[in-house]
Amino acid sequence: VFDTLPVRDVVLWNSLIAGHARLGEIEDVLCLFERMRREGGKPNSITFVSVLNACSHAGLIERGHTYFEFMTKDSGITPTIEHHTCMVDLLGRAGNFKQVEDLLGRIQTHVDLSIWLRLLGSCRTHSNAELGRRAFDHAMQSHPERTTLYVWMSNIYAAIAVEDGECEVKSLKMDDGSMP
């Protein structure tokens, strides 16, 4: 249907790209993005959120950097919190915590809960309790009521304890021997 449309505006392109992104069809996302550009379509802020998220989920660090640079330098789009969240997720998933910290230093005043949660998730994956604790502390300053933060920090410590063999998991049984 898309290919038969006489005019394809950015909303149509974004819908198609976002749909493929939600399905995890990363190569299709990137191919559609490149096709959009070849056919004269002008990607907007929303387009780049889908593309950066796709790069993040596929672990395409260099391509993600390339698209982020293209967005800011060639397309003239000022990165939003959503774009920075994608980049923190991209770098964090890869364990590039130095680059994450550099990015956070540049956008310090624009960091929100979504960035801290993505960073906490990466710290859990890579057992980085030190950075996880700093992310937790920053997030708690603006969102002390968010119990999710405590769960994430607990998960980081638990993952490290399991890795270090410091945690023993015991089976819980009721008095009659059944499982709860």
Side-chain angles (χ1 to χ4, degrees):
V1 172
F2 181 81
D3 288 333
T4 65
L5 296 172
V7 177
R8 298 181 196 118
D9 65 7
V10 70
V11 174
L12 289 171
W13 281 108
N14 285 346
S15 297
L16 191 59
I17 289 169
H20 282 284
R22 282 190 192 97
L23 292 172
E25 298 168 347
I26 307 307
E27 281 305 313
D28 289 335
V29 169
L30 302 180
C31 287
L32 284 167
F33 177 78
E34 295 303 330
R35 179 177 162 198
M36 174 188 189
R37 290 180 51 215
R38 275 193 317 275
E39 292 181 14
K42 185 175 180 189
N44 65 13
S45 180
I46 295 167
T47 315
F48 282 101
V49 169
S50 292
V51 170
L52 292 173
N53 264 324
C55 289
S56 176
H57 289 281
L60 302 173
I61 299 162
E62 291 305 316
R63 282 184 89 171
H65 273 291
T66 300
Y67 288 127
F68 189 80
E69 292 296 314
F70 174 75
M71 177 187 79
T72 57
K73 293 180 179 166
D74 298 332
S75 296
I77 296 172
T78 301
T80 65
I81 195 68
E82 289 85 7
H83 299 116
H84 286 120
T85 301
C86 292
M87 291 305 293
V88 166
D89 193 47
L90 173 76
L91 297 168
R93 284 175 185 255
N96 294 344
F97 293 117
K98 173 71 174 112
Q99 289 179 316
V100 169
E101 290 186 274
D102 291 344
L103 177 62
L104 291 175
R106 289 192 306 272
I107 63 167
Q108 193 170 29
T109 58
H110 301 353
V111 178
D112 74 352
L113 185 61
S114 63
I115 287 181
W116 297 126
L117 290 173
R118 298 273 177 102
L119 183 53
L120 285 167
S122 295
C123 288
R124 180 186 182 280
T125 300
H126 295 283
S127 301
N128 189 333
E130 180 184 334
L131 182 56
R133 182 61 194 210
R134 288 198 318 262
F136 172 82
D137 289 342
H138 282 288
M140 287 300 295
Q141 289 175 6
S142 56
H143 301 283
E145 76 288 352
R146 296 299 297 258
T147 56
T148 307
L149 296 169
Y150 292 99
V151 172
W152 277 105
M153 199 64 226
S154 172
N155 287 340
I156 291 169
Y157 287 138
I160 291 169
V162 168
E163 280 180 12
D164 293 344
E166 297 173 9
C167 184
E168 182 180 327
V169 178
K170 295 182 179 181
S171 174
L172 296 175
K173 292 187 179 177
M174 304 297 279
D175 289 339
D176 66 359
S178 65
M179 299 298 284

